Amino acid sequence: MAYCSCYRSWRRFKSRGSSYLEQNAFIILNNSAISPQLVNTLPTTTTESNPHNITTVDFKTNVYGELPALSNLNLSATSSFTIEFRARATTTTSDPVIIGNKNWASGYNKGIIIANRNGVIRANFGDGTHRLDIDGVDLSDQLWHQVAVVVNRGTQKAILYDGGIQVAEGNISSVGDLQSGNVFKIGQDGTGNYSPYFTGNISELRLFKSALPATSISAYSFTALTSAHPQQADLVLYTKGNETSGTVYNGTLVTPKINILTKNSATITRSALTVPIFYRKTTDYHGAPYLYTVPPTILSFLGISPPAYYDGQTLINF
């Protein structure tokens, strides 16, 4: 592709695949402004996290939690809400429920399910006829993840966050009322009979009767809620889930609590965990070119500044 005499040629060969090498076979830049250089170091990815210590319940087969009926949590087709929780999964098979109020036999059933679907969170919404699924949040690392699901009926968006960072969204305008007739449960679906059960840990549960803005999600992702929270007046349920004994996750700031239940003579156990909370993954490309660097380089040559929100940087300062 020629760009005039001073930018003689640009060739980029791209193949299919998920790795950097498969997606960026090689890029050749040829211009008088370029000093000869070979970059062949592979990118490295680093996981950033926040320290976290907690003693909490081990959710497993025949151990789950049940929330009370929350009359002030409106799940109608016109009402917004937010569900936040901290989860750590120890298995990545099937689609066990982290929190939900519906029969998970079908995603079309009326209600909400947030599940660990083969190691990735799926937030499912159904009204009996229509459904919406949004996927994101990789639980396969066995770290804690601070998850938020925001349903905003004003914008008709359902948004999924991981560590205060948005990872997915969907249009929920076609999905109506989400009240299933069942109370919410953790580690199980609304019926309490779904197989398999969630295996891992669940804590720091927060339910709001409004759509929290991104600023509030981010500000409280790695810290406990306080009465200074901007939407504290909309808080319906909050429990830290850090009790060291007993069969209850006690309420904080508001009254409702969660009962930890068992079946078939199962026992409630707890683990003292020092597992950190996932924040984000960052990739160091060590100066290697990649797809996002191509457009800003072209724009730079043409004397056009790339948009401020664009992540890629120009490869050459012309």
PDB file of all heavy atoms in Angstrom, residues 100-133:
ATOM      1  N   GLY A 100     -29.053 -16.425  41.872  1.00  0.00           N
ATOM      2  CA  GLY A 100     -30.171 -16.413  40.943  1.00  0.00           C
ATOM      3  C   GLY A 100     -31.501 -16.604  41.631  1.00  0.00           C
ATOM      4  O   GLY A 100     -31.561 -17.018  42.795  1.00  0.00           O
ATOM      5  N   ASN A 101     -32.576 -16.312  40.910  1.00  0.00           N
ATOM      6  CA  ASN A 101     -33.929 -16.461  41.463  1.00  0.00           C
ATOM      7  C   ASN A 101     -34.836 -17.287  40.562  1.00  0.00           C
ATOM      8  O   ASN A 101     -36.050 -17.344  40.784  1.00  0.00           O
ATOM      9  CB  ASN A 101     -34.554 -15.080  41.705  1.00  0.00           C
ATOM     10  CG  ASN A 101     -34.938 -14.362  40.412  1.00  0.00           C
ATOM     11  OD1 ASN A 101     -34.418 -14.670  39.338  1.00  0.00           O
ATOM     12  ND2 ASN A 101     -35.848 -13.396  40.512  1.00  0.00           N
ATOM     13  N   LYS A 102     -34.284 -17.912  39.517  1.00  0.00           N
ATOM     14  CA  LYS A 102     -35.124 -18.604  38.549  1.00  0.00           C
ATOM     15  C   LYS A 102     -34.776 -20.086  38.443  1.00  0.00           C
ATOM     16  O   LYS A 102     -33.760 -20.549  38.982  1.00  0.00           O
ATOM     17  CB  LYS A 102     -34.959 -17.959  37.171  1.00  0.00           C
ATOM     18  CG  LYS A 102     -33.580 -18.207  36.558  1.00  0.00           C
ATOM     19  CD  LYS A 102     -33.369 -17.398  35.298  1.00  0.00           C
ATOM     20  CE  LYS A 102     -34.054 -17.973  34.105  1.00  0.00           C
ATOM     21  NZ  LYS A 102     -33.803 -17.178  32.883  1.00  0.00           N
ATOM     22  N   ASN A 103     -35.597 -20.803  37.752  1.00  0.00           N
ATOM     23  CA  ASN A 103     -35.332 -22.193  37.396  1.00  0.00           C
ATOM     24  C   ASN A 103     -34.346 -22.181  36.233  1.00  0.00           C
ATOM     25  O   ASN A 103     -34.675 -21.743  35.129  1.00  0.00           O
ATOM     26  CB  ASN A 103     -36.639 -22.879  37.014  1.00  0.00           C
ATOM     27  CG  ASN A 103     -36.454 -24.345  36.698  1.00  0.00           C
ATOM     28  OD1 ASN A 103     -35.348 -24.797  36.372  1.00  0.00           O
ATOM     29  ND2 ASN A 103     -37.536 -25.106  36.768  1.00  0.00           N
ATOM     30  N   TRP A 104     -33.132 -22.691  36.447  1.00  0.00           N
ATOM     31  CA  TRP A 104     -32.057 -22.619  35.464  1.00  0.00           C
ATOM     32  C   TRP A 104     -32.142 -23.740  34.439  1.00  0.00           C
ATOM     33  O   TRP A 104     -31.227 -23.931  33.632  1.00  0.00           O
ATOM     34  CB  TRP A 104     -30.721 -22.624  36.189  1.00  0.00           C
ATOM     35  CG  TRP A 104     -29.474 -22.286  35.438  1.00  0.00           C
ATOM     36  CD1 TRP A 104     -28.226 -22.818  35.699  1.00  0.00           C
ATOM     37  CD2 TRP A 104     -29.263 -21.349  34.368  1.00  0.00           C
ATOM     38  NE1 TRP A 104     -27.282 -22.273  34.860  1.00  0.00           N
ATOM     39  CE2 TRP A 104     -27.888 -21.365  34.021  1.00  0.00           C
ATOM     40  CE3 TRP A 104     -30.107 -20.508  33.655  1.00  0.00           C
ATOM     41  CZ2 TRP A 104     -27.341 -20.585  33.013  1.00  0.00           C
ATOM     42  CZ3 TRP A 104     -29.565 -19.720  32.649  1.00  0.00           C
ATOM     43  CH2 TRP A 104     -28.202 -19.763  32.338  1.00  0.00           C
ATOM     44  N   ALA A 105     -33.256 -24.468  34.443  1.00  0.00           N
ATOM     45  CA  ALA A 105     -33.441 -25.508  33.427  1.00  0.00           C
ATOM     46  C   ALA A 105     -33.509 -24.899  32.034  1.00  0.00           C
ATOM     47  O   ALA A 105     -33.201 -25.554  31.044  1.00  0.00           O
ATOM     48  CB  ALA A 105     -34.707 -26.311  33.712  1.00  0.00           C
ATOM     49  N   SER A 106     -33.908 -23.621  31.965  1.00  0.00           N
ATOM     50  CA  SER A 106     -33.953 -22.911  30.685  1.00  0.00           C
ATOM     51  C   SER A 106     -33.638 -21.446  30.925  1.00  0.00           C
ATOM     52  O   SER A 106     -34.153 -20.839  31.868  1.00  0.00           O
ATOM     53  CB  SER A 106     -35.326 -23.039  30.026  1.00  0.00           C
ATOM     54  OG  SER A 106     -35.431 -22.166  28.902  1.00  0.00           O
ATOM     55  N   GLY A 107     -32.842 -20.877  30.031  1.00  0.00           N
ATOM     56  CA  GLY A 107     -32.523 -19.459  30.126  1.00  0.00           C
ATOM     57  C   GLY A 107     -33.704 -18.574  29.795  1.00  0.00           C
ATOM     58  O   GLY A 107     -33.684 -17.372  30.081  1.00  0.00           O
ATOM     59  N   TYR A 108     -34.754 -19.142  29.188  1.00  0.00           N
ATOM     60  CA  TYR A 108     -35.959 -18.378  28.878  1.00  0.00           C
ATOM     61  C   TYR A 108     -36.877 -18.237  30.084  1.00  0.00           C
ATOM     62  O   TYR A 108     -37.763 -17.376  30.098  1.00  0.00           O
ATOM     63  CB  TYR A 108     -36.724 -19.028  27.727  1.00  0.00           C
ATOM     64  CG  TYR A 108     -36.049 -18.873  26.390  1.00  0.00           C
ATOM     65  CD1 TYR A 108     -35.238 -19.882  25.877  1.00  0.00           C
ATOM     66  CD2 TYR A 108     -36.207 -17.714  25.630  1.00  0.00           C
ATOM     67  CE1 TYR A 108     -34.608 -19.747  24.651  1.00  0.00           C
ATOM     68  CE2 TYR A 108     -35.585 -17.565  24.399  1.00  0.00           C
ATOM     69  CZ  TYR A 108     -34.783 -18.587  23.916  1.00  0.00           C
ATOM     70  OH  TYR A 108     -34.147 -18.440  22.700  1.00  0.00           O
ATOM     71  N   ASN A 109     -36.696 -19.094  31.093  1.00  0.00           N
ATOM     72  CA  ASN A 109     -37.545 -19.011  32.277  1.00  0.00           C
ATOM     73  C   ASN A 109     -37.437 -17.632  32.913  1.00  0.00           C
ATOM     74  O   ASN A 109     -36.391 -16.977  32.846  1.00  0.00           O
ATOM     75  CB  ASN A 109     -37.155 -20.081  33.293  1.00  0.00           C
ATOM     76  CG  ASN A 109     -37.586 -21.472  32.862  1.00  0.00           C
ATOM     77  OD1 ASN A 109     -38.496 -21.620  32.036  1.00  0.00           O
ATOM     78  ND2 ASN A 109     -36.943 -22.497  33.400  1.00  0.00           N
ATOM     79  N   LYS A 110     -38.511 -17.212  33.542  1.00  0.00           N
ATOM     80  CA  LYS A 110     -38.552 -15.859  34.106  1.00  0.00           C
ATOM     81  C   LYS A 110     -37.604 -15.736  35.288  1.00  0.00           C
ATOM     82  O   LYS A 110     -37.619 -16.560  36.208  1.00  0.00           O
ATOM     83  CB  LYS A 110     -39.974 -15.511  34.542  1.00  0.00           C
ATOM     84  CG  LYS A 110     -40.119 -14.091  35.073  1.00  0.00           C
ATOM     85  CD  LYS A 110     -41.542 -13.760  35.455  1.00  0.00           C
ATOM     86  CE  LYS A 110     -42.393 -13.504  34.222  1.00  0.00           C
ATOM     87  NZ  LYS A 110     -43.718 -12.932  34.611  1.00  0.00           N
ATOM     88  N   GLY A 111     -36.766 -14.692  35.239  1.00  0.00           N
ATOM     89  CA  GLY A 111     -35.869 -14.429  36.346  1.00  0.00           C
ATOM     90  C   GLY A 111     -34.455 -14.145  35.908  1.00  0.00           C
ATOM     91  O   GLY A 111     -34.172 -13.886  34.731  1.00  0.00           O
ATOM     92  N   ILE A 112     -33.549 -14.216  36.883  1.00  0.00           N
ATOM     93  CA  ILE A 112     -32.142 -13.855  36.698  1.00  0.00           C
ATOM     94  C   ILE A 112     -31.270 -15.001  37.179  1.00  0.00           C
ATOM     95  O   ILE A 112     -31.533 -15.601  38.225  1.00  0.00           O
ATOM     96  CB  ILE A 112     -31.786 -12.599  37.516  1.00  0.00           C
ATOM     97  CG1 ILE A 112     -32.721 -11.444  37.169  1.00  0.00           C
ATOM     98  CG2 ILE A 112     -30.328 -12.198  37.326  1.00  0.00           C
ATOM     99  CD1 ILE A 112     -32.773 -10.387  38.254  1.00  0.00           C
ATOM    100  N   ILE A 113     -30.222 -15.282  36.429  1.00  0.00           N
ATOM    101  CA  ILE A 113     -29.189 -16.229  36.857  1.00  0.00           C
ATOM    102  C   ILE A 113     -27.827 -15.621  36.531  1.00  0.00           C
ATOM    103  O   ILE A 113     -27.608 -15.124  35.420  1.00  0.00           O
ATOM    104  CB  ILE A 113     -29.309 -17.584  36.140  1.00  0.00           C
ATOM    105  CG1 ILE A 113     -30.512 -18.388  36.646  1.00  0.00           C
ATOM    106  CG2 ILE A 113     -28.019 -18.401  36.303  1.00  0.00           C
ATOM    107  CD1 ILE A 113     -30.388 -18.945  38.055  1.00  0.00           C
ATOM    108  N   ILE A 114     -26.923 -15.666  37.491  1.00  0.00           N
ATOM    109  CA  ILE A 114     -25.516 -15.356  37.232  1.00  0.00           C
ATOM    110  C   ILE A 114     -24.749 -16.637  37.542  1.00  0.00           C
ATOM    111  O   ILE A 114     -24.708 -17.082  38.681  1.00  0.00           O
ATOM    112  CB  ILE A 114     -25.027 -14.175  38.079  1.00  0.00           C
ATOM    113  CG1 ILE A 114     -25.923 -12.950  37.845  1.00  0.00           C
ATOM    114  CG2 ILE A 114     -23.575 -13.838  37.729  1.00  0.00           C
ATOM    115  CD1 ILE A 114     -25.621 -11.774  38.750  1.00  0.00           C
ATOM    116  N   ALA A 115     -24.194 -17.241  36.499  1.00  0.00           N
ATOM    117  CA  ALA A 115     -23.630 -18.585  36.608  1.00  0.00           C
ATOM    118  C   ALA A 115     -22.160 -18.611  36.220  1.00  0.00           C
ATOM    119  O   ALA A 115     -21.661 -17.736  35.515  1.00  0.00           O
ATOM    120  CB  ALA A 115     -24.414 -19.549  35.716  1.00  0.00           C
ATOM    121  N   ASN A 116     -21.489 -19.662  36.690  1.00  0.00           N
ATOM    122  CA  ASN A 116     -20.116 -19.956  36.285  1.00  0.00           C
ATOM    123  C   ASN A 116     -20.197 -20.944  35.126  1.00  0.00           C
ATOM    124  O   ASN A 116     -20.233 -22.154  35.320  1.00  0.00           O
ATOM    125  CB  ASN A 116     -19.343 -20.548  37.470  1.00  0.00           C
ATOM    126  CG  ASN A 116     -17.975 -21.071  37.066  1.00  0.00           C
ATOM    127  OD1 ASN A 116     -17.434 -20.717  36.019  1.00  0.00           O
ATOM    128  ND2 ASN A 116     -17.412 -21.935  37.907  1.00  0.00           N
ATOM    129  N   ARG A 117     -20.221 -20.413  33.917  1.00  0.00           N
ATOM    130  CA  ARG A 117     -20.422 -21.258  32.730  1.00  0.00           C
ATOM    131  C   ARG A 117     -19.067 -21.648  32.144  1.00  0.00           C
ATOM    132  O   ARG A 117     -18.434 -20.879  31.446  1.00  0.00           O
ATOM    133  CB  ARG A 117     -21.276 -20.523  31.698  1.00  0.00           C
ATOM    134  CG  ARG A 117     -21.658 -21.343  30.486  1.00  0.00           C
ATOM    135  CD  ARG A 117     -22.640 -20.574  29.631  1.00  0.00           C
ATOM    136  NE  ARG A 117     -23.061 -21.337  28.460  1.00  0.00           N
ATOM    137  CZ  ARG A 117     -22.478 -21.263  27.275  1.00  0.00           C
ATOM    138  NH1 ARG A 117     -21.437 -20.462  27.085  1.00  0.00           N
ATOM    139  NH2 ARG A 117     -22.919 -21.985  26.263  1.00  0.00           N
ATOM    140  N   ASN A 118     -18.629 -22.852  32.504  1.00  0.00           N
ATOM    141  CA  ASN A 118     -17.342 -23.366  32.034  1.00  0.00           C
ATOM    142  C   ASN A 118     -16.198 -22.400  32.326  1.00  0.00           C
ATOM    143  O   ASN A 118     -15.286 -22.215  31.510  1.00  0.00           O
ATOM    144  CB  ASN A 118     -17.409 -23.688  30.538  1.00  0.00           C
ATOM    145  CG  ASN A 118     -18.409 -24.777  30.229  1.00  0.00           C
ATOM    146  OD1 ASN A 118     -18.516 -25.757  30.960  1.00  0.00           O
ATOM    147  ND2 ASN A 118     -19.163 -24.605  29.154  1.00  0.00           N
ATOM    148  N   GLY A 119     -16.235 -21.775  33.506  1.00  0.00           N
ATOM    149  CA  GLY A 119     -15.150 -20.901  33.939  1.00  0.00           C
ATOM    150  C   GLY A 119     -15.317 -19.446  33.568  1.00  0.00           C
ATOM    151  O   GLY A 119     -14.439 -18.631  33.869  1.00  0.00           O
ATOM    152  N   VAL A 120     -16.420 -19.092  32.920  1.00  0.00           N
ATOM    153  CA  VAL A 120     -16.698 -17.702  32.559  1.00  0.00           C
ATOM    154  C   VAL A 120     -18.091 -17.334  33.049  1.00  0.00           C
ATOM    155  O   VAL A 120     -19.040 -18.097  32.868  1.00  0.00           O
ATOM    156  CB  VAL A 120     -16.606 -17.489  31.034  1.00  0.00           C
ATOM    157  CG1 VAL A 120     -16.975 -16.056  30.669  1.00  0.00           C
ATOM    158  CG2 VAL A 120     -15.213 -17.825  30.539  1.00  0.00           C
ATOM    159  N   ILE A 121     -18.217 -16.174  33.662  1.00  0.00           N
ATOM    160  CA  ILE A 121     -19.524 -15.762  34.175  1.00  0.00           C
ATOM    161  C   ILE A 121     -20.487 -15.477  33.027  1.00  0.00           C
ATOM    162  O   ILE A 121     -20.135 -14.799  32.059  1.00  0.00           O
ATOM    163  CB  ILE A 121     -19.394 -14.530  35.092  1.00  0.00           C
ATOM    164  CG1 ILE A 121     -18.890 -14.980  36.462  1.00  0.00           C
ATOM    165  CG2 ILE A 121     -20.711 -13.769  35.215  1.00  0.00           C
ATOM    166  CD1 ILE A 121     -18.847 -13.902  37.495  1.00  0.00           C
ATOM    167  N   ARG A 122     -21.689 -16.005  33.158  1.00  0.00           N
ATOM    168  CA  ARG A 122     -22.804 -15.664  32.278  1.00  0.00           C
ATOM    169  C   ARG A 122     -23.904 -15.046  33.134  1.00  0.00           C
ATOM    170  O   ARG A 122     -24.359 -15.662  34.110  1.00  0.00           O
ATOM    171  CB  ARG A 122     -23.335 -16.862  31.528  1.00  0.00           C
ATOM    172  CG  ARG A 122     -24.730 -16.608  30.903  1.00  0.00           C
ATOM    173  CD  ARG A 122     -25.102 -17.610  29.845  1.00  0.00           C
ATOM    174  NE  ARG A 122     -24.320 -17.379  28.628  1.00  0.00           N
ATOM    175  CZ  ARG A 122     -24.502 -18.063  27.490  1.00  0.00           C
ATOM    176  NH1 ARG A 122     -25.418 -19.017  27.431  1.00  0.00           N
ATOM    177  NH2 ARG A 122     -23.760 -17.807  26.434  1.00  0.00           N
ATOM    178  N   ALA A 123     -24.339 -13.842  32.755  1.00  0.00           N
ATOM    179  CA  ALA A 123     -25.504 -13.229  33.370  1.00  0.00           C
ATOM    180  C   ALA A 123     -26.671 -13.433  32.413  1.00  0.00           C
ATOM    181  O   ALA A 123     -26.638 -12.984  31.267  1.00  0.00           O
ATOM    182  CB  ALA A 123     -25.272 -11.746  33.628  1.00  0.00           C
ATOM    183  N   ASN A 124     -27.697 -14.135  32.897  1.00  0.00           N
ATOM    184  CA  ASN A 124     -28.854 -14.493  32.062  1.00  0.00           C
ATOM    185  C   ASN A 124     -30.108 -13.823  32.607  1.00  0.00           C
ATOM    186  O   ASN A 124     -30.338 -13.803  33.819  1.00  0.00           O
ATOM    187  CB  ASN A 124     -29.042 -16.006  32.041  1.00  0.00           C
ATOM    188  CG  ASN A 124     -30.406 -16.420  31.517  1.00  0.00           C
ATOM    189  OD1 ASN A 124     -31.331 -16.619  32.303  1.00  0.00           O
ATOM    190  ND2 ASN A 124     -30.545 -16.534  30.211  1.00  0.00           N
ATOM    191  N   PHE A 125     -30.905 -13.289  31.691  1.00  0.00           N
ATOM    192  CA  PHE A 125     -32.164 -12.650  32.040  1.00  0.00           C
ATOM    193  C   PHE A 125     -33.253 -13.216  31.135  1.00  0.00           C
ATOM    194  O   PHE A 125     -33.090 -13.265  29.913  1.00  0.00           O
ATOM    195  CB  PHE A 125     -32.076 -11.131  31.837  1.00  0.00           C
ATOM    196  CG  PHE A 125     -30.851 -10.499  32.445  1.00  0.00           C
ATOM    197  CD1 PHE A 125     -29.678 -10.397  31.704  1.00  0.00           C
ATOM    198  CD2 PHE A 125     -30.866 -10.024  33.744  1.00  0.00           C
ATOM    199  CE1 PHE A 125     -28.536  -9.827  32.249  1.00  0.00           C
ATOM    200  CE2 PHE A 125     -29.734  -9.446  34.302  1.00  0.00           C
ATOM    201  CZ  PHE A 125     -28.563  -9.345  33.554  1.00  0.00           C
ATOM    202  N   GLY A 126     -34.364 -13.652  31.721  1.00  0.00           N
ATOM    203  CA  GLY A 126     -35.453 -14.194  30.931  1.00  0.00           C
ATOM    204  C   GLY A 126     -36.791 -13.718  31.461  1.00  0.00           C
ATOM    205  O   GLY A 126     -36.944 -13.470  32.661  1.00  0.00           O
ATOM    206  N   ASP A 127     -37.771 -13.591  30.559  1.00  0.00           N
ATOM    207  CA  ASP A 127     -39.114 -13.176  30.987  1.00  0.00           C
ATOM    208  C   ASP A 127     -40.167 -14.231  30.657  1.00  0.00           C
ATOM    209  O   ASP A 127     -41.363 -13.967  30.727  1.00  0.00           O
ATOM    210  CB  ASP A 127     -39.487 -11.830  30.363  1.00  0.00           C
ATOM    211  CG  ASP A 127     -39.550 -11.871  28.829  1.00  0.00           C
ATOM    212  OD1 ASP A 127     -39.442 -12.977  28.243  1.00  0.00           O
ATOM    213  OD2 ASP A 127     -39.693 -10.796  28.223  1.00  0.00           O
ATOM    214  N   GLY A 128     -39.740 -15.427  30.296  1.00  0.00           N
ATOM    215  CA  GLY A 128     -40.651 -16.497  29.919  1.00  0.00           C
ATOM    216  C   GLY A 128     -40.755 -16.671  28.418  1.00  0.00           C
ATOM    217  O   GLY A 128     -41.109 -17.754  27.943  1.00  0.00           O
ATOM    218  N   THR A 129     -40.435 -15.606  27.671  1.00  0.00           N
ATOM    219  CA  THR A 129     -40.487 -15.655  26.212  1.00  0.00           C
ATOM    220  C   THR A 129     -39.166 -15.239  25.581  1.00  0.00           C
ATOM    221  O   THR A 129     -38.700 -15.853  24.615  1.00  0.00           O
ATOM    222  CB  THR A 129     -41.602 -14.737  25.684  1.00  0.00           C
ATOM    223  OG1 THR A 129     -42.850 -15.127  26.270  1.00  0.00           O
ATOM    224  CG2 THR A 129     -41.703 -14.810  24.163  1.00  0.00           C
ATOM    225  N   HIS A 130     -38.551 -14.209  26.129  1.00  0.00           N
ATOM    226  CA  HIS A 130     -37.296 -13.685  25.603  1.00  0.00           C
ATOM    227  C   HIS A 130     -36.186 -13.854  26.634  1.00  0.00           C
ATOM    228  O   HIS A 130     -36.445 -13.985  27.835  1.00  0.00           O
ATOM    229  CB  HIS A 130     -37.444 -12.199  25.249  1.00  0.00           C
ATOM    230  CG  HIS A 130     -38.576 -11.913  24.314  1.00  0.00           C
ATOM    231  ND1 HIS A 130     -39.824 -11.506  24.748  1.00  0.00           N
ATOM    232  CD2 HIS A 130     -38.655 -11.996  22.965  1.00  0.00           C
ATOM    233  CE1 HIS A 130     -40.618 -11.336  23.713  1.00  0.00           C
ATOM    234  NE2 HIS A 130     -39.935 -11.629  22.613  1.00  0.00           N
ATOM    235  N   ARG A 131     -34.956 -13.813  26.140  1.00  0.00           N
ATOM    236  CA  ARG A 131     -33.808 -13.945  27.033  1.00  0.00           C
ATOM    237  C   ARG A 131     -32.669 -13.066  26.547  1.00  0.00           C
ATOM    238  O   ARG A 131     -32.589 -12.689  25.374  1.00  0.00           O
ATOM    239  CB  ARG A 131     -33.325 -15.393  27.127  1.00  0.00           C
ATOM    240  CG  ARG A 131     -32.728 -15.929  25.835  1.00  0.00           C
ATOM    241  CD  ARG A 131     -32.336 -17.398  25.951  1.00  0.00           C
ATOM    242  NE  ARG A 131     -31.117 -17.601  26.737  1.00  0.00           N
ATOM    243  CZ  ARG A 131     -30.640 -18.803  27.047  1.00  0.00           C
ATOM    244  NH1 ARG A 131     -31.271 -19.901  26.639  1.00  0.00           N
ATOM    245  NH2 ARG A 131     -29.529 -18.930  27.747  1.00  0.00           N
ATOM    246  N   LEU A 132     -31.772 -12.729  27.466  1.00  0.00           N
ATOM    247  CA  LEU A 132     -30.532 -12.038  27.162  1.00  0.00           C
ATOM    248  C   LEU A 132     -29.422 -12.706  27.947  1.00  0.00           C
ATOM    249  O   LEU A 132     -29.575 -12.985  29.143  1.00  0.00           O
ATOM    250  CB  LEU A 132     -30.619 -10.551  27.549  1.00  0.00           C
ATOM    251  CG  LEU A 132     -29.294  -9.773  27.516  1.00  0.00           C
ATOM    252  CD1 LEU A 132     -28.780  -9.632  26.083  1.00  0.00           C
ATOM    253  CD2 LEU A 132     -29.463  -8.396  28.160  1.00  0.00           C
ATOM    254  N   ASP A 133     -28.303 -12.978  27.289  1.00  0.00           N
ATOM    255  CA  ASP A 133     -27.110 -13.522  27.950  1.00  0.00           C
ATOM    256  C   ASP A 133     -25.951 -12.579  27.702  1.00  0.00           C
ATOM    257  O   ASP A 133     -25.700 -12.191  26.552  1.00  0.00           O
ATOM    258  CB  ASP A 133     -26.763 -14.902  27.395  1.00  0.00           C
ATOM    259  CG  ASP A 133     -27.890 -15.907  27.578  1.00  0.00           C
ATOM    260  OD1 ASP A 133     -28.205 -16.227  28.727  1.00  0.00           O
ATOM    261  OD2 ASP A 133     -28.452 -16.361  26.561  1.00  0.00           O
TER     262      ASP A 133
END
